[in-house]
Amino acid sequence: MKISCPFIISPLNYICNKILFWGVFPDRLKYTVIKPLHKNSDRCEESNYRPILLLTSFSKTFKMVMQTRILKHLTKYNILSTEQNGFMIGLKTDSAIFKLTTEILNTLNNKLVVGEIVCDLEKAIDCVNHDILLSKLKFHGISSKVLAIYHSYLNNWCLRTVINHESDNRNIVSSWLK
């Protein structure tokens, strides 16, 4: 895609602008393949796999456009907590770990007791209610047209799963499902 950028930038820009103007992410661009990635331990246990979604290049590009726009809005109006590190420019999970470690060490150096509550957010994105997410975006000043794009983007995806059968190096492919 990077090599072809000079040739496709104009049509990509045109399509992105049309999506932003109409407030609809086209269903024809909502096809993705899921590939299970083995994490650890027993390969027969379903929970030992992490689903990797392979989006089309355009869907990834448009997702980055929308992410950039919403981060600018959230930053401009100081909506995010100062403790927020994920998806923030210049901040990574390393920053959060460094800050936490520093706080713990400073507390211990001052001979105080340290307590910790840990919340496992594995698969947290699977629990996000789209209606609540959209209502929170609206509450924080996201325009109705942009909300329409998010609503459109979040619905009607067609998915299929591709599993690589290791013994004979062939792919097993499911049919497309909404």
Side-chain angles (χ1 to χ4, degrees):
M1 193 162 161
K2 287 180 182 179
I3 294 170
S4 63
C5 191
F7 307 104
I8 64 172
I9 193 72
S10 183
L12 278 179
N13 192 34
Y14 177 80
I15 294 169
C16 282
N17 285 333
K18 284 295 183 187
I19 291 170
L20 294 170
F21 179 78
W22 290 108
V24 176
F25 189 80
D27 285 347
R28 300 281 297 176
L29 299 174
K30 296 182 193 176
Y31 285 83
T32 190
V33 172
I34 303 170
K35 291 192 87 165
L37 180 68
H38 184 252
K39 294 189 301 185
N40 55 23
S41 159
D42 184 8
R43 288 188 176 271
C44 294
E45 183 63 39
E46 181 181 305
S47 62
N48 290 331
Y49 289 85
R50 180 169 46 117
I52 303 297
L53 274 65
L54 303 174
L55 299 172
T56 63
S57 296
F58 181 82
S59 295
K60 286 184 203 175
T61 302
F62 189 75
K63 191 170 111 176
M64 289 184 341
V65 167
M66 293 304 292
Q67 180 179 337
T68 301
R69 290 171 62 106
I70 200 163
L71 276 177
K72 282 182 183 177
H73 176 83
L74 297 174
T75 304
K76 178 179 178 182
Y77 294 104
N78 265 344
I79 295 170
L80 295 176
S81 164
T82 56
E83 283 78 26
Q84 172 70 34
N85 284 324
F87 304 106
M88 297 299 292
I89 297 166
L91 296 176
K92 297 181 178 141
T93 52
D94 297 357
S95 306
I97 293 169
F98 177 77
K99 185 175 181 180
L100 175 64
T101 305
T102 303
E103 289 288 326
I104 291 171
L105 291 174
N106 286 339
T107 303
L108 291 173
N109 285 339
N110 291 326
K111 301 193 186 320
L112 297 171
V113 177
V114 175
E116 180 178 359
I117 298 174
V118 179
C119 187
D120 182 6
L121 296 177
E122 183 178 348
K123 299 180 184 174
I125 193 67
D126 298 340
C127 302
V128 173
N129 180 302
H130 293 172
D131 293 331
I132 294 172
L133 173 64
L134 294 170
S135 69
K136 287 187 179 235
L137 290 173
K138 183 177 180 179
F139 175 80
H140 288 294
I142 301 299
S143 73
S144 57
K145 188 158 288 189
V146 174
L147 282 174
I149 295 170
Y150 279 109
H151 183 270
S152 175
Y153 185 84
L154 290 169
N155 292 296
N156 297 323
W157 279 85
C158 290
L159 310 168
R160 78 174 174 188
T161 304
V162 176
I163 300 172
N164 184 280
H165 197 272
E166 292 178 2
S167 63
D168 56 4
N169 202 24
R170 64 183 170 91
N171 287 334
I172 301 168
V173 181
S174 73
S175 58
W176 289 103
L177 295 174
K178 280 225 179 224

